[in-house]
Amino acid sequence: MERLVNTVRPYAWGSTTAIPELLGTAPTGEPQAEMWMGAHPGAPSLTPRGPLNALIDADPVRELGPATAEKFGPRLPFLLKVLAAGAPLSLQVHPDLEQARAGYAAEEAAGIPVDAPHRTYKDANHKPEMICALTPFEGFCGFRAPAEAADTLAALGVDSLKPYADLLHAHPEEDALREVLTALLTADPAEMSHTVAEAAAAADRLGGAFAPYAVLAHHFPGDPGVIAAMLLHHVTLQPGEALYLGAGVPHAYLSGLGVEIMANSDNVLRCGLTPKHVDVPELLRVVRFEPADPGVLRPEASPSGEEVYDTSIDEFRLSRLVRAEGAAPTDLTAATPQILLATAGRPKAGEITLSPGESVFVPAGEPVELTEAGTVFRATVVA
């Protein structure tokens, strides 16, 4: 079992205070957006024996266990993060596994450098993910019913939004959503900038349920993603609640602190709210134009007291253990690799005491017992 030293990524949208408050450190004044825990080569966690990805590369069967290594290959299948949004993240979707493999192969064959700004597929893996709130956490997730989105556009009273509202009343619903998103992303930039400005002024004036769109426009003036977000569910998670984001589901995070887990991939197709490249044809191929409830997840308790966030994904399994003072030890020994992250109290994993924000990597089969009071998130796989 190894205590991890983790990298904090300073993306511009990050909160300047949330991660320092969790860690009990002084803010630097700079944004601190994501703390990565895992073996991703972009920012692998460090252990006393070296970078975690190097340890796994040296002996994947020992570190991951034979079942995990056979099922997923010689790499840790998931990446765990603490995410702190102080400003909106880009509106985005992720491909499924078949799309990722095909897209990656095509860009490799075309000779597009993997770090090129217009490159879409960074690897050949899919990127299902889940965010679990540590504080109230606000975002957009999944398409609303088109008629409901049309009512939002109409309520703003902006003439240039009327054609989009009319399109949303077409049938079938999937075609209506596709037509509107396509129209938004291919509109004349100057005309769209004017439409967004008018919509933002109206949203600011109306307030209430419209206020988040004014916030988006403040950060991304003229961006078609402001209007695209009106097609989606606005969701506020309470601490302990989670969202699972499968392939093709458009989403964006606005604010809050959470624990995020995902398959070990960096494939993102952006729809808006970003100065980065938007590959419209590929985006429209990947997006699933299906109105659906965002499906807020609440953990399901097990007899051991472990609360599991149930998904259909094998690359990761996230659970939470909230331990009271004097509670009996919890045996977490497993045949799969684990990362244990403390978010409250001072729980002990074996002999290692964890303060909030600290974590350990537990190799497959390594005995580990959780003691003392505190809250621990447990990340592992289904092998």
Side-chain angles (χ1 to χ4, degrees), residues 283-308:
L283 172 71
L284 296 173
R285 192 176 74 85
V286 167
V287 170
R288 295 182 179 175
F289 293 95
E290 302 169 357
D293 185 275
V296 174
L297 295 175
R298 295 171 182 85
E300 299 177 8
S302 68
S304 68
E306 184 178 12
E307 301 173 320
V308 180

Side-chain angles (χ1 to χ4, degrees), residues 71-349:
K71 186 171 184 177
F72 301 108
R75 61 186 182 86
L76 189 65
F78 64 84
L79 177 63
L80 185 67
K81 301 179 180 180
V82 172
L83 183 147
L89 282 68
S90 62
L91 185 60
Q92 58 188 256
V93 297
H94 306 301
D96 63 26
L97 190 55
E98 182 179 343
Q99 291 164 339
R101 287 172 175 170
Y104 181 78
E107 291 187 321
E108 286 290 283
I112 302 172
V114 73
D115 58 351
H118 62 290
R119 173 94 182 212
T120 298
Y121 292 95
K122 308 296 186 183
D123 52 65
N125 199 18
H126 62 166
K127 193 188 176 189
E129 64 186 37
M130 181 165 58
I131 183 76
C132 179
L134 294 177
T135 67
F137 194 97
E138 189 178 3
F140 294 96
C141 175
F143 287 111
R144 296 192 285 170
E148 184 182 342
D151 289 344
T152 296
L153 297 184
L156 292 170
V158 175
D159 288 343
S160 52
L161 287 177
K162 188 176 185 303
Y164 302 112
D166 291 342
L167 279 174
L168 286 168
H169 288 293
H171 291 282
E173 290 186 328
E174 291 82 357
D175 290 346
L177 291 168
R178 180 183 291 276
E179 284 192 46
V180 171
L181 186 61
T182 302
L184 290 172
L185 297 180
T186 56
D188 177 79
E191 292 179 4
M192 179 53 61
S193 181
H194 182 71
T195 295
V196 171
E198 285 194 307
D204 191 44
R205 183 177 65 254
L206 291 168
F210 296 89
Y213 309 119
V215 172
L216 294 180
H218 170 75
H219 288 280
F220 300 98
D223 194 304
V226 175
I227 311 301
M230 298 179 190
L231 306 178
L232 309 182
H233 294 279
H234 175 240
V235 180
T236 299
L237 301 177
Q238 296 306 314
E241 294 181 332
L243 282 176
Y244 169 71
L245 302 156
V249 176
H251 59 279
Y253 300 149
L254 298 186
S255 63
L257 181 71
V259 174
E260 187 180 40
I261 190 167
M262 62 193 64
N264 200 357
S265 171
D266 197 25
N267 284 325
V268 175
L269 289 95
R270 295 174 177 85
C271 313
L273 309 180
T274 179
K276 295 182 179 179
H277 175 62
V278 176
D279 184 343
V280 175
E282 186 65 11
L283 172 71
L284 296 173
R285 192 176 74 85
V286 167
V287 170
R288 295 182 179 175
F289 293 95
E290 302 169 357
D293 185 275
V296 174
L297 295 175
R298 295 171 182 85
E300 299 177 8
S302 68
S304 68
E306 184 178 12
E307 301 173 320
V308 180
Y309 293 90
D310 189 32
T311 72
S312 59
I313 292 298
D314 289 350
E315 281 93 337
F316 60 75
R317 175 185 180 273
L318 185 69
S319 60
R320 183 180 67 168
L321 297 104
V322 181
R323 293 183 48 79
E325 195 72 45
T330 306
D331 184 6
L332 297 183
T333 305
T336 52
Q338 306 178 67
I339 292 178
L340 306 178
L341 165 69
T343 58
R346 287 179 59 80
K348 291 182 70 174

